[in-house]
Amino acid sequence: MQYLPKQRSLCTAIAMACSLLVLSSCGKGESAKAANQASVAKVGVVVVQSKPFEQYSELQGRTSAYLVSEVRPQVSGIVQKRLFVEGGLVKAGQSLYQIDPSTYQATYASAKAALEKAQANLAAAKVKQARYQDLVKINAVSQQDFDDANAALKQTQADVSAAQAAVDAARINLAYTQVKAPISGRIGRSSVTPGALVQQGQATALATIQQLDPIYVNLTQSTTDLLALKRQLASGKLEKTSKGGAKVKLTLEDGTPYPKDGDLQFSDVTVDPTTGSVTLRAVFPNPDGLLLPGMYVRAALNEGTLKNAILVPQQAIARDSTGSAVALVLNDKNIVEQRRVETEKAVGDQWLIASGLKAGDRLIVRGLQKVKPGQPAALLDDDKAPEKKDQ
């Protein structure tokens, strides 16, 4: 069939219109697909991993001196000298005070003289008893005289013993006029000055000496935490890290860590009924004297090692309307899932997870505000290989 020129023009126009319509439809489909891809939120994730973790419990406590000695006079008298510097270090046996010794020296001299007199009488009694012992055999003296000589000898021996004891007591009292340090340590202020009268066994101490190296740290732990710790150890979830005493780390009042670790010495066997806690005692080296008695401190007690602990960044854990802890996870199909988790405690900027997450989960840590559970999500360009991130 032959078309007229007008008919050919009409057919050409119709064909061009159809082609334009097809091209327009294809362009719209591709644009919609690109728009859908652009609308998928991008998030940053970390791959959850489990690893051994040394578990510490934070306890509060106060420091106390390792040894404490209150210095008191053992004899009465006037203080002549103070022989130490207040606040300084003293050694055991060092003289601290000098009490007037004159009366005690006189007593000591008198006791020595009495001892010499008793010893002289003893020598005479021994000679007389020996002579009478020979004479009574030949009836030169009566048996009564011999018995009297024996009695006199025993009496003079007792006199010598008593005189010797008096000398020893006088010597001890004379030595007590020098008040000496019973232990080594740092001595506090003096409660008396030279010229003061002190009394034997007085209630007020002359000074107090405290040994500060090493030093005690007394801690308190609730029975609830103690029972939880025992259950974890019994179940095998927690295992002891050492066979000896546990190590303790210390944080000072200003928040700075103490540079040396201590050793847990003992745990009390009695629960305080008013606080429901038990007392723990740790010993810390204190060569620089940084720790002083009565300081408030916080201690981290190494309780053991969790074999498969899961730690995640704190920003990845939120709270739902019921107050439960939740986390968003990107599954294998790149769909966002919400997980309800249980947290045990904070460890720095991370949470120690008790349940709800497992090793290998892709935990969303960035872009949390852009996604909701059930929505698809894509990884950020700088987060294509999250398995390299070790958490």
Side-chain angles (χ1 to χ4, degrees):
M1 180 183 291
Q2 294 184 350
Y3 292 97
L4 296 176
K6 290 183 178 181
Q7 290 176 331
R8 287 196 299 269
S9 298
L10 180 59
C11 291
T12 302
I14 292 172
M16 292 178 64
C18 291
S19 299
L20 290 174
L21 182 61
V22 171
L23 291 174
S24 176
S25 300
C26 293
K28 288 181 180 179
E30 293 177 356
S31 298
K33 183 177 180 180
N36 288 335
Q37 292 178 349
S39 64
V40 176
K42 292 186 176 182
V43 295
V45 302
V46 295
V47 176
V48 176
Q49 296 185 359
S50 63
K51 57 185 178 181
F53 170 72
E54 289 190 356
Q55 181 167 301
Y56 288 84
S57 61
E58 187 170 296
L59 307 175
Q60 299 178 353
R62 291 193 179 274
T63 56
S64 63
Y66 190 76
L67 293 176
V68 179
S69 176
E70 293 183 340
V71 181
R72 288 184 172 85
Q74 308 239 6
V75 293
S76 302
I78 302 296
V79 177
Q80 291 182 329
K81 298 177 183 178
R82 190 190 74 195
L83 305 172
F84 66 92
V85 177
E86 293 176 317
L89 293 173
V90 296
K91 297 291 185 181
Q94 176 181 336
S95 295
L96 304 177
Y97 297 92
Q98 178 62 61
I99 297 175
D100 184 8
S102 56
T103 57
Y104 298 99
Q105 286 176 338
T107 302
Y108 177 61
S110 176
K112 286 183 65 178
L115 175 60
E116 292 173 356
K117 180 180 179 180
Q119 289 173 339
N121 292 334
L122 176 61
K126 283 182 176 181
V127 172
K128 185 177 181 179
Q129 190 270 348
R131 183 181 300 115
Y132 276 32
Q133 187 174 10
D134 294 334
L135 294 175
V136 76
K137 293 178 181 179
I138 60 174
N139 295 322
V141 294
S142 65
Q143 185 65 38
Q144 182 64 46
D145 291 338
F146 176 68
D147 292 340
D148 291 343
N150 276 332
L153 175 60
K154 292 180 179 179
Q155 183 175 353
T156 53
Q157 288 175 337
D159 292 340
V160 170
S161 297
Q164 183 63 59
V167 170
D168 293 340
R171 184 189 300 112
I172 291 172
N173 288 335
L174 180 60
Y176 281 158
T177 60
Q178 283 193 351
V179 182
K180 297 183 178 181
I183 62 172
S184 299
R186 190 172 295 277
I187 193 168
R189 65 181 184 87
S190 175
S191 64
V192 297
T193 59
L197 174 64
V198 294
Q199 301 289 331
Q200 178 183 4
Q202 65 183 37
T204 304
L206 303 181
T208 301
I209 304 172
Q210 300 182 86
Q211 182 178 336
L212 305 181
D213 183 25
I215 193 169
Y216 285 136
V217 176
N218 296 320
L219 310 168
T220 55
Q221 184 179 39
S222 69
T223 53
T224 303
D225 294 340
L226 185 61
L227 292 174
L229 173 62
K230 290 183 176 180
R231 282 195 295 268
Q232 287 182 323
L233 290 171
S235 65
K237 183 179 180 181
L238 189 68
E239 57 184 19
K240 275 292 184 182
T241 56
S242 61
K243 296 181 180 179
K247 291 294 181 182
V248 185
K249 298 181 181 295
L250 206 62
T251 302
L252 302 180
E253 290 177 312
D254 59 358
T256 59
Y258 186 66
K260 297 183 181 296
D261 292 346
D263 295 311
L264 184 65
Q265 190 178 52
F266 82 95
S267 175
D268 204 349
V269 295
T270 304
V271 178
D272 187 343
T274 59
T275 60
S277 60
V278 294
T279 300
L280 311 177
R281 170 168 281 182
V283 180
F284 281 81
N286 190 30
D288 300 327
L290 183 61
L291 299 176
L292 299 176
M295 290 179 64
Y296 170 79
V297 292
R298 288 181 290 113
L301 174 62
N302 187 342
E303 296 179 335
T305 301
L306 289 172
K307 293 181 288 187
N308 298 305
I310 292 179
L311 295 169
V312 300
Q314 288 189 4
Q315 70 266 23
I317 306 299
R319 298 284 174 178
D320 60 13
S321 58
T322 63
S324 301
V326 294
L328 296 181
V329 176
L330 192 64
N331 64 16
D332 295 338
K333 298 179 180 180
N334 290 335
I335 302 298
V336 178
E337 295 181 358
Q338 180 173 286
R339 300 274 184 85
R340 180 169 291 185
V341 299
E342 292 183 8
T343 59
E344 286 193 9
K345 62 180 179 180
V347 181
D349 60 350
Q350 297 179 312
W351 284 112
L352 178 61
I353 302 300
S355 63
L357 294 173
K358 64 181 184 300
D361 286 339
R362 294 188 297 173
L363 181 66
I364 299 176
V365 294
R366 290 185 291 172
L368 292 166
Q369 298 82 4
K370 302 177 183 179
V371 293
K372 293 182 179 180
Q375 291 183 347
L379 298 179
L380 291 170
D381 294 337
D382 60 347
D383 210 15
K384 291 298 184 182
E387 62 274 9
K388 294 182 181 180
K389 294 182 178 292
D390 185 11
Q391 291 293 332

